[in-house]
Structure formats: C-alpha cells, structure tokens
Amino acid sequence: MGRWICCLCSRVADPLVLLLVLALGCDPSTAAKASPSVPHVKPSYSFGRTFLGLDKCNACIGTSICKKFFKEEIRFDTWLSSHLKLPPSSLLSYSGNYTDDAKSWRLVDITRLTSKYQHDRVDKRICTSLLKTKTCSLERALRRTQRFQKWLRAKRLTPDLVQGLPSPLLRCPSQRLLDRIVRRYAEVPDAGSIYMDHLTDRDKLRLLYTLAVNSHPILLQIFPDVEGWPFPRYLGSCGRLVVSASTRPLRDFFGAAPEVAADLALQLLAVLGSMATNDLNYFFFFTHVDAGTFGVFSNGHLFIRDASTLGVIDKEEGSQLMDGQQEYKDIFSCLTVDCQSALVSCDSITEKHSLVMVCQDLLPKLLSGKFQSPVQGRIDAFLQRCAHGLSEPAELAEILKPLRSCDSRFAYRYPDCRYSDKY
C-alpha cells in the first residue's frame, strides 16, 4: 500500500492531494526514484533476418511492411500461439493473418517470388559470375554491373534499361508502361513523377532486382484492385517476402458444384476480356497458365492470383524495343531462368493467345462432366474448338449464363443479381 502511495506522489498535481499523501508518510524524493517505467514486453517470437530475406537487401523486394511483421500485426496461419515456431523457410507461400487494429484480422497470402532454393542458387551465381567467389555482398556485386550503373545515371526508366530482362511484363515495353512503373512503385514514398529523382540508389536496385526475378508485385502495384483491375491487393514487402490479399487457388474449385463452376468459368472469360480490351489500351497476355494462376476471394469473386507470367502490350504506343534488342543478356537476365531461354516475339501474340491456353488447361478441369446432356456436349465441343483458336468466348458465355444461380454463395453479386438482367 505504501509503495503504491509513493508512486502516486510522483503523478499528482493537486497540492491538497499531495499534502494528504505526505501526511500518510510518503517521502517525495523516494517517490521520484521509485516512479515505475513501462515494462518491456519481450516479443513472443522472432522472425530472423534470414527467414524474411532481409539479410539479402538491397538485392530484395522491399521493406515497406517489415514493421507489421515485427509488431506481430502479421502472423502466419499456424503461428497464432506464441509458442509455435516459424513455418519452414523452404515453402513458396504461406497463409497469414493481418491486422490494423489488433482486434480484427483478415487473411493474407505471404509469398516468395521464387523458392528459397532457387534464391540461394541465384545468390551463388551472382557471386561466382561477378566476383569469382563462393560468397559475397550481393548488393556490392550487383552495383558493379554495367546495367545498374546505367540505372544510377538515368533520370527516366527507358526501354534500353530493361532490355533482356526475362519478365513477360517487359517483353514488349512502351515508354508509357515504364513511366507507370516508376510513378506507381509502392516501395517508395509516392512522388507521382515519371522521373526517377525520388528513387535512391537503394530503391533503384530493389526495383531492378524485382523486375529481374518476378514482376508479380509490380503488376499488383501499377494496376491496383481499387481501380477495378483483377488482381489481389498489394499490401507490401519485407525482404524477399510479399504480402497480398488472400485468395484460394482455382484448383480448389475443380470439384465444385455445377452452378459454381459455371459462375467461375464466366468470370474467367470476363477477366480475359477485360485484359484484352480496357480503357487504358493495354493488352495483357499470359505466357503460361496453371491451376494456381487464378484465385477466388471468399465472396466468390475470381481474380488473377499469380501475375508472374503476365505480359503487357501497349496498343496505344506499341513496343519501343525491337526484338533484336532483346538478345542483350547479363546477370539480371538469368536470375530465375536459363540465360539461353528464347523470348517470345511481340508480333507472335494474338488476340486469342490467352483464351487458347485457358481452354486447353483450365476450363476442361472446371467444366468437364458437370452438366446434363445436351448442355455438356455443347460445352465439350466448344472447348475442343477453342483449344485450337476456332471459337469465340461469347459462344460459351451464352451456354453458361442460364446455369448460374443467384444466392448468398456468390456474395460478390448477391443480392444485386435478383434485380439485374446482367446476371
């Protein structure tokens, strides 16, 4: 009791209250010395710079969301209890939980742009190729390259600075697209400028490294979901981990009920349509699709889950990099692929390029054996023609539209579907 009163002495400002406390036998000088400090709460777990990839920065993606990790405002799905250990660093992706107020949590995906094994191989290749040693400072090695020295001197990101990079995003670059990358690069304070004056040397290396390894987070940044683009929201990066809104991969729905399969197939066709025709005159194409390329949010809305194989052609400006220039190769050209890999010619990309791949690899797994005859027969016949580029998506859409249902399972369009002919 006396100790509590003494502590109170150091906090009271009212003279009468102070006299009362002194009358009870408290020494003000003792109270001042005994004033308690805020107890230091030891974090219940530690990430470690190696797990996050922070030990590799600035040959990394960014640091914009690191505070969330260290403040325990991002937790792995299996790590909600303090005694649990970190998940294996060998995994490519993790399910996590994210909060802004420590009360409400939402699901997020925590991903690596490539596996840790591939990262380690690349890191070793950088050291042996550039410095002829088994280990080195990755940042020091990459800074010495001719390409990065050109980036340091550049005021603007131009096609010659990205030539030979393996990302499909940069296969057919226009100046308008590159300006958009610089202006919307989310790992730096927003300057709204097409010039790179607001990027430090560190920022330029991180941007170059990201573009060379995997352009997925860049696409999420420059074509954000809040503007209607079909990508999950980019939340930030820490080291070599990227955090974005959570989706379930399309593969989880291959065994879904017929009405769910029909709804997802229609959304898939709509996404491909918006990628081919949009207000900004960018034409998006896939170089590869699989069961994890697309994902579904908890409200039933389908999005592009993995944008790493997505290329962009500017229909307004066209490509400002000739195919012959793409033969330029350096260490940044081989961070994730074989240096001898052939690049797809921009002129070879057709309007139905992505639709053909989806009809070959995804729609049969989603729609086969789901419906009664003769509807199933019409769907199968369409998919066979579509796989050879011989049909239009509107044909399949007309078959599938009557098969959709309007109920709470499709929260992204319910209850609107009750009052609209669109659905």
Side-chain angles (χ1 to χ4, degrees):
M1 178 71 177
R3 182 180 302 171
W4 176 84
I5 296 174
C6 289
C7 293
L8 180 65
C9 290
S10 62
R11 298 185 180 184
V12 287
D14 192 309
L16 293 177
V17 176
L18 181 59
L19 287 174
L20 175 62
V21 173
L22 290 174
L24 293 174
C26 177
D27 182 355
S29 61
T30 304
K33 294 176 183 178
S35 179
S37 59
V38 177
H40 176 68
V41 179
K42 185 178 180 179
S44 55
Y45 49 77
S46 173
F47 281 89
R49 294 171 58 83
T50 302
F51 181 86
L52 294 168
L54 279 171
D55 58 325
K56 306 295 185 180
C57 284
N58 293 301
C60 63
I61 311 306
T63 55
S64 60
I65 209 165
C66 287
K67 288 183 178 179
K68 285 281 187 181
F69 279 106
F70 291 118
K71 290 168 65 179
E72 302 184 19
E73 293 175 347
I74 294 178
R75 298 183 180 183
F76 290 90
D77 212 20
T78 57
W79 202 12
L80 294 179
S81 299
S82 60
H83 68 278
L84 294 177
K85 297 180 179 180
L86 277 168
S89 60
S90 58
L91 298 180
L92 192 59
S93 64
Y94 311 87
S95 179
N97 297 270
Y98 175 103
T99 185
D100 286 317
D101 55 14
K103 297 178 182 177
S104 58
W105 294 81
R106 52 193 168 115
L107 290 175
V108 293
D109 289 332
I110 306 169
T111 57
R112 301 183 189 277
L113 299 190
T114 186
S115 70
K116 192 174 186 303
Y117 170 74
Q118 288 176 304
H119 266 312
D120 291 342
R121 285 185 60 195
V122 168
D123 295 344
K124 185 177 296 185
R125 183 188 303 160
I126 292 172
C127 293
T128 55
S129 299
L130 300 179
L131 297 182
K132 312 303 180 185
T133 60
K134 291 184 178 180
T135 58
C136 69
S137 165
L138 299 177
E139 180 171 355
R140 187 178 302 118
L142 294 176
R143 277 176 172 271
R144 293 182 179 182
T145 60
Q146 182 180 359
R147 187 190 293 267
F148 186 66
Q149 289 301 313
K150 288 178 65 176
W151 273 61
L152 288 179
R153 295 190 296 269
K155 293 291 185 181
R156 192 174 184 181
L157 186 60
T158 52
D160 63 295
L161 296 177
V162 299
Q163 64 176 312
L165 295 182
S167 168
L169 172 64
L170 305 172
R171 196 67 51 87
C172 317
S174 70
Q175 188 59 58
R176 185 169 72 114
L177 178 63
L178 297 179
D179 288 343
R180 189 176 184 87
I181 291 175
V182 172
R183 194 172 63 248
R184 295 187 168 217
Y185 181 43
E187 287 298 311
V188 299
D190 182 16
S193 173
I194 62 175
Y195 297 101
M196 295 198 290
D197 297 336
H198 63 293
L199 301 184
T200 64
D201 294 357
R202 175 201 66 192
D203 298 329
K204 289 182 178 180
L205 181 57
R206 291 178 180 178
L207 176 57
L208 172 56
Y209 181 84
T210 306
L211 291 172
V213 173
N214 188 324
S215 58
H216 169 77
I218 301 299
L219 275 156
L220 269 56
Q221 293 168 42
I222 66 177
F223 297 109
D225 67 308
V226 293
E227 295 180 2
W229 299 98
F231 300 108
R233 180 165 301 181
Y234 176 80
L235 298 172
S237 298
C238 184
R240 289 179 170 179
L241 291 179
V242 177
V243 183
S244 59
S246 177
T247 58
R248 289 177 61 191
L250 188 61
R251 69 171 65 91
D252 290 357
F253 297 86
F254 285 162
E259 60 272 20
V260 175
D263 183 82
L264 292 175
L266 280 166
Q267 288 193 72
L268 192 50
L269 295 177
V271 167
L272 295 181
S274 68
M275 295 286 92
T277 305
N278 51 74
D279 293 341
L280 292 185
N281 274 329
Y282 287 117
F283 174 73
F284 296 77
F285 65 93
F286 287 99
T287 57
H288 171 77
V289 296
D290 58 36
T293 300
F294 296 90
V296 183
F297 284 125
S298 58
N299 65 357
H301 207 172
L302 181 137
F303 275 60
I304 297 174
R305 187 172 190 258
D306 179 3
S308 62
T309 63
L310 201 60
V312 181
I313 294 176
D314 192 336
K315 295 196 290 186
E316 190 170 299
E317 288 188 1
S319 173
Q320 296 177 18
L321 187 64
M322 301 301 293
D323 286 338
Q325 290 180 280
Q326 294 180 342
E327 297 304 317
Y328 174 85
K329 299 286 178 70
D330 65 355
I331 190 65
F332 289 101
S333 307
C334 356
L335 293 186
T336 55
V337 298
D338 182 355
C339 287
Q340 304 304 316
S341 298
L343 300 178
V344 177
S345 168
C346 301
D347 296 332
S348 68
I349 308 299
T350 65
E351 289 284 332
K352 293 184 178 180
H353 182 86
S354 298
L355 178 64
V356 168
M357 287 192 290
V358 167
C359 286
Q360 290 174 342
D361 300 323
L362 296 183
L363 287 178
K365 298 173 183 176
L366 188 63
L367 299 176
S368 293
K370 290 286 176 68
F371 307 96
Q372 298 292 327
S373 184
V375 171
Q376 187 67 59
R378 293 174 61 196
I379 292 174
D380 293 343
F382 169 86
L383 293 179
Q384 288 182 357
R385 295 193 306 273
C386 178
H388 295 90
L390 301 177
S391 56
E392 298 295 330
E395 181 184 344
L396 180 60
E398 287 304 312
I399 301 173
L400 295 176
K401 281 180 181 178
L403 304 177
R404 290 194 299 180
S405 64
C406 180
D407 59 62
S408 58
R409 287 177 298 170
F410 310 101
Y412 79 96
R413 59 181 175 87
Y414 181 84
D416 294 355
C417 53
R418 290 185 176 276
Y419 312 105
S420 174
D421 294 335
K422 177 182 177 182
Y423 299 109

